[in-house]
Each structure stands twice: as C-alpha cells, then as structure tokens.
Amino acid sequence: MSSDDVAYDVDAGADLAHEPQGPGAEPEPGAAASAPPAGPSAVAELDLKPALEAVLMVVDEPATEEHLAKVLERPRRAVADALRELSDEYAVQGRGFDLRLVAGGWRFYTRPEYADAVESFVLDGQQARLTQAALETLAVVAYRQPVSRSRVSAVRGVNCDGVMRTLLQRGLLEEAGTEPETGAILYRTTNYFLERMGLRGLDELPELAPFLPEVDAVEGESQEGVPSFDPDAPDTDADDSGHSQTEH
C-alpha cells in the first residue's frame, strides 16, 4: 500500500484519512471536524416574505414581530411591513387562509367562509364545541376579570365549579392571584382565549354592559355560597328545585 492510500488503524479504531499525505505537510486545523454550520448571514440573505411564511407555517401560537425580527435577523420595521403586505396579498388573492395580528402576534388562520370545510375535516362528525353553560361562564369571566368563582356563580345563578374546571383544562382561563378581602382565587382569560376569539386584546370585546347585571347587585341575593371546587367532585349545578343539573 502506498503512502498516498487512506489508512485505518484497526486496533485503535481511528480514522487516519486526514493524516498528512506528503513530506513536510502540516495538518489543517479542524480538518477532521465536520463543516461548520452556516453563519448568521445565511438567514439574513433569505428573501424576507418567503422566510416569514416558512416560519409562520410551523408556529403553534402567534409570533411577535420582535421574535420574528430576531430569528430572521432583520429590522422590526421591515418585518412588520412585510407581514402586513402578505396579509393584504392573501386577501386580494382570495386565499383560503389569511394572516392575522392576534393576541400580540401573527399567525395563519383559515377564512370564516371556509369554516364548514375545515370543521368537516377536523371534527369528522365529532362535536367539540363549548356548551351554552361554558360560553356563559366564559363571558362572565371575560367581562368581569379578574373574578372569583363565587362571583361568577352569583351572576349566573348556579354553581359553576364544573364549568370553570372545564375552561381551565382547555386553557381558556387561568388563575390571577387572590381576592384581598376573602382570599378567594381570582380567574382571568388567557392569550389562548384571545387567539381563539380572534382578538388583539380585551379592549376589542363588544360592549355588553347593558346586558350584564352588576355583580355586587346580585351577589347578595345568591344562595350559592363559595363553591368547593373539589377536583373529585361531580360536575353538577344545583337548580332552584334542589335537583342537580350537569354542565360541561
């Protein structure tokens, strides 16, 4: 075997392919190492709009302009302008999806006019919508947050333990500290709630004050007391006749 052939040290298991092949040859630093990853300039040189589309296709929550600018190594203003241009382009083209600014970030959404097609594909006959009781409870929390379970129950006139637990499990509500006077846990809506409702913030909730009674006015009349919120308790609501009704 000539000196120019690639040699392997079988006993040691070492790859000698990068040994010097000629007299006086010096090994190159890092010659045996793998090629270094592409530098930051590789991302910065990508076309901005296609790069934004690629990133937004894999996000699982709205991405902020600051985060996108950092990832793609571009000025925030350039990213913000490109996002709005993409959103306008999708609208003009009549695509089945659009790009929306929701809950402080950007994300792809299907258009409402194609909801039936999406629902048919995703649910495939299965019902996954919130019940009327859950929607009513969620509305009370959204407009009165932060609010305790007992106050929500006072507004609705029924025990809301089971419904509150369901909304917490679905990520639509979260704890928001305690009430100073009573020590009761307070609840508020989450960013996921804003995302599902297609809202940028709570200030976009429609006006509902004329239809929602003041909590303090009805709380004194409520006989529900403070719910136990026992995780092992059945999800039931008590009606005026003393019987129980289940809310999911």
Side-chain angles (χ1 to χ4, degrees):
M1 179 180 294
S2 68
S3 61
D4 292 334
D5 291 333
V6 175
Y8 292 87
D9 184 344
V10 178
D11 295 332
D15 186 349
L16 304 180
H18 294 287
E19 286 291 322
Q21 299 298 311
E26 294 292 334
E28 297 181 4
S34 59
S41 60
V43 175
E45 291 175 357
L46 295 172
D47 289 339
L48 181 54
K49 288 184 179 179
L52 285 169
E53 290 175 322
V55 172
L56 291 172
M57 285 293 292
V58 299
V59 300
D60 56 4
E61 61 183 15
T64 64
E65 293 172 359
E66 294 88 345
H67 189 193
L68 292 171
K70 178 181 179 182
V71 169
L72 299 179
E73 302 172 19
R74 305 294 178 89
R76 176 183 172 181
R77 172 51 56 189
V79 169
D81 291 343
L83 288 167
R84 285 166 174 78
E85 289 174 7
L86 284 172
S87 181
D88 292 340
E89 290 172 9
Y90 299 147
V92 171
Q93 296 168 5
R95 307 295 290 271
F97 61 90
D98 61 2
L99 184 58
R100 303 181 201 165
L101 176 60
V102 173
W106 291 84
R107 188 176 182 181
F108 285 119
Y109 289 86
T110 55
R111 294 194 183 278
E113 51 265 40
Y114 300 105
D116 290 342
V118 175
E119 182 175 350
S120 177
F121 176 79
V122 174
L123 299 182
D124 193 19
Q126 300 180 8
Q127 193 61 255
R129 296 177 179 174
L130 292 174
T131 63
Q132 183 65 29
L135 290 172
E136 291 175 3
T137 301
L138 186 58
V140 173
V141 176
Y143 283 93
R144 297 297 183 184
Q145 61 186 307
V147 64
S148 66
R149 295 190 311 275
S150 61
R151 287 178 176 263
V152 175
S153 296
V155 172
R156 292 200 57 228
V158 291
N159 187 307
C160 297
D161 279 13
V163 181
M164 292 287 287
R165 179 159 51 248
T166 297
L167 295 173
L168 284 165
Q169 290 173 345
R170 293 197 179 190
L172 296 168
L173 298 182
E174 64 184 0
E175 295 184 3
T178 57
E179 196 171 43
E181 297 82 4
T182 65
I185 298 176
L186 299 175
Y187 297 91
R188 65 188 175 197
T189 55
T190 62
N191 278 338
Y192 180 62
F193 164 81
L194 296 176
E195 180 183 344
R196 297 297 297 172
M197 295 299 172
L199 304 173
R200 292 185 178 89
L202 294 174
D203 57 336
E204 291 192 350
L205 285 170
E207 291 293 333
L208 195 61
F211 307 101
L212 193 64
E214 291 296 328
V215 175
D216 294 338
V218 298
E219 188 179 31
E221 302 175 5
S222 173
Q223 302 300 318
E224 298 298 328
V226 179
S228 63
F229 202 45
D230 182 355
D232 298 323
D235 296 350
T236 60
D237 284 352
D239 60 20
D240 294 336
S241 62
H243 297 86
S244 62
Q245 57 185 23
T246 301
E247 290 192 336
H248 302 287

